[in-house]
Amino acid sequence: MLLVQKGKSTTAEMLFAIFRAAGHKTALISTIRFAIEDDSKPNRYKMTLQGRGFAQAFMRKAIRKKCTHIIIEVTSESVLQYRHWFLELDALIVTNIQHEHIESHGSFANYVAAKKRNC
């Protein structure tokens, strides 16, 4: 399982395509869509990571479909709400740290700390 941040959707989509092209059965949770191999549904929830229950159910479905790789896009907002908890990661990519979501985090330092909590 791989976690991606800022430039998240583009990076997640590219990784999904690369893993599939390399012959790996792959699943994706992103702001744009939920995909297990060729089965893709748009994300209409208005949030990137819907929460532990949703993510766990999706991952269980992906594993049943014999996926070996799952790419999950996570925002600092979902970290604040603990929606990333219990996701056992093999890799983490932080693609960029910028001044955003400061209103939710209270300061830039808190925002950076939220990004680090994914590690």
Side-chain angles (χ1 to χ4, degrees):
M1 181 178 358
L2 181 64
L3 190 73
V4 183
Q5 298 217 4
K6 193 66 184 157
K8 300 175 297 293
S9 297
T10 300
T11 303
E13 288 290 338
M14 288 177 12
L15 288 168
F16 181 70
I18 290 167
F19 277 88
R20 292 198 64 213
H24 300 288
K25 291 186 75 78
T26 307
L28 171 70
I29 296 175
S30 78
T31 301
I32 298 169
R33 64 186 176 134
F34 311 110
I36 298 175
E37 288 290 288
D38 290 327
D39 181 18
S40 178
K41 294 178 177 62
N43 180 346
R44 298 191 177 159
Y45 293 98
K46 306 228 186 238
M47 62 176 65
T48 302
L49 183 60
Q50 292 65 42
R52 294 180 302 278
F54 179 91
Q56 296 296 345
F58 178 86
M59 289 186 294
R60 184 172 42 253
K61 184 177 177 183
I63 290 167
R64 284 185 184 142
K65 301 266 183 168
K66 308 285 190 234
C67 286
T68 57
H69 295 74
I70 303 172
I71 298 165
I72 301 175
E73 180 182 346
V74 175
T75 65
S76 62
E77 292 283 327
S78 61
V79 171
L80 278 179
Q81 298 169 12
Y82 306 105
R83 288 184 264 143
H84 69 301
W85 278 20
F86 309 112
L87 299 178
E88 199 170 308
L89 306 175
D90 296 315
L92 171 68
I93 297 173
V94 178
T95 57
N96 203 349
I97 295 179
Q98 297 181 11
H99 287 84
E100 65 176 26
H101 303 301
I102 302 303
E103 67 283 352
S104 297
H105 296 280
S107 71
F108 186 71
N110 290 344
Y111 168 65
V112 172
K115 297 265 189 189
K116 289 179 181 178
R117 280 198 298 267
N118 286 320
C119 301

